[in-house]
Amino acid sequence: MNLPNKLTMLRMVMVPFFVAAMVLESLPGARLAALILFVAASLTDLLDGKIARSRGLVTDFGKLMDPLADKLLVMSALVMMMERMDLSGVVVIILLAREFLVTSLRLIAASGGKVIAAGQLGKAKTVVQMVWIVYSLAAYAGVLPWWNGLYLAGAALATLLSLVSGFEYVWGNRSLLADR
């Protein structure tokens, strides 16, 4: 197994530890541990792709498992934020539905030998979502001050970008959904 794939697997292994830290929030340092685990796992996502592309280590395993690891990490954070930080279930449903939709489109495209690259709106959604989650976890851990307005604005912007970029993916690939 090459280094990028090991980093992907490490990210997947970190998810249950992140969730455990969130569940055990009353233990001293648990919230900070959750923040550190989420940030570290997020950094492995940046590293694995960069290393794989720069060293020619892109594999079918990585193409499948990297997005799965990303989804597990983000979905875990969203569910825990819903439970611990009163994040609206509607927001979580929209964000998760968009991820399932785009992943499904990519699988349909891949079955026909086509690759759907991430669009600019999708990339912006990811950046906003990750910054918002990190801020929320940092504030929850007491590392940053809690500003409810910033938390809600992050949720709103991540949701809006999810909706718009999801529509962009569907519209731009609507031919994949047509009956053949």
Side-chain angles (χ1 to χ4, degrees):
M1 184 175 284
N2 65 32
L3 178 58
N5 291 342
K6 288 178 182 176
L7 289 170
T8 295
M9 293 307 297
L10 175 61
R11 185 163 61 260
M12 291 180 84
V13 167
M14 293 171 89
V15 169
F17 290 100
F18 163 75
V19 171
M22 291 293 289
V23 169
L24 301 171
E25 67 175 346
S26 61
L27 294 177
R31 290 180 180 190
L32 181 59
L35 169 64
I36 291 167
L37 284 163
F38 185 86
V39 169
S42 298
L43 291 175
T44 67
D45 184 31
L46 289 175
L47 286 175
D48 66 11
K50 197 172 247 189
I51 292 168
R53 286 184 295 278
S54 70
R55 297 184 186 174
L57 298 174
V58 176
T59 65
D60 288 339
F61 178 86
K63 288 178 189 176
L64 175 68
M65 297 307 288
D66 181 66
L68 177 60
D70 298 345
K71 303 299 181 258
L72 286 173
L73 178 63
V74 171
M75 289 180 185
S76 296
L78 292 173
V79 169
M80 294 313 301
M81 288 168 65
M82 189 171 67
E83 183 176 309
R84 300 288 186 228
M85 295 178 229
D86 294 326
L87 177 61
S88 168
V90 172
V91 169
V92 174
I93 289 167
I94 290 169
L95 296 177
L96 297 183
R98 185 260 184 211
E99 296 306 322
F100 284 123
L101 177 66
V102 170
T103 299
S104 297
L105 278 173
R106 286 188 168 137
L107 289 172
I108 292 167
S111 70
K114 183 180 176 186
V115 174
I116 299 176
Q120 291 304 313
L121 282 173
K123 290 177 182 179
K125 182 271 313 173
T126 299
V127 169
V128 167
Q129 188 170 274
M130 296 308 272
V131 169
W132 166 60
I133 291 171
V134 169
Y135 162 74
S136 300
L137 292 172
Y140 190 66
V143 174
L144 293 174
W146 182 263
W147 292 317
N148 202 46
L150 185 57
Y151 175 70
L152 294 174
L157 187 55
T159 303
L160 177 64
L161 286 171
S162 288
L163 287 168
V164 174
S165 66
F167 177 78
E168 178 186 56
Y169 277 101
V170 171
W171 185 255
N173 297 285
R174 63 191 178 280
S175 63
L176 293 172
L177 302 173
D179 289 333
R180 297 185 190 266

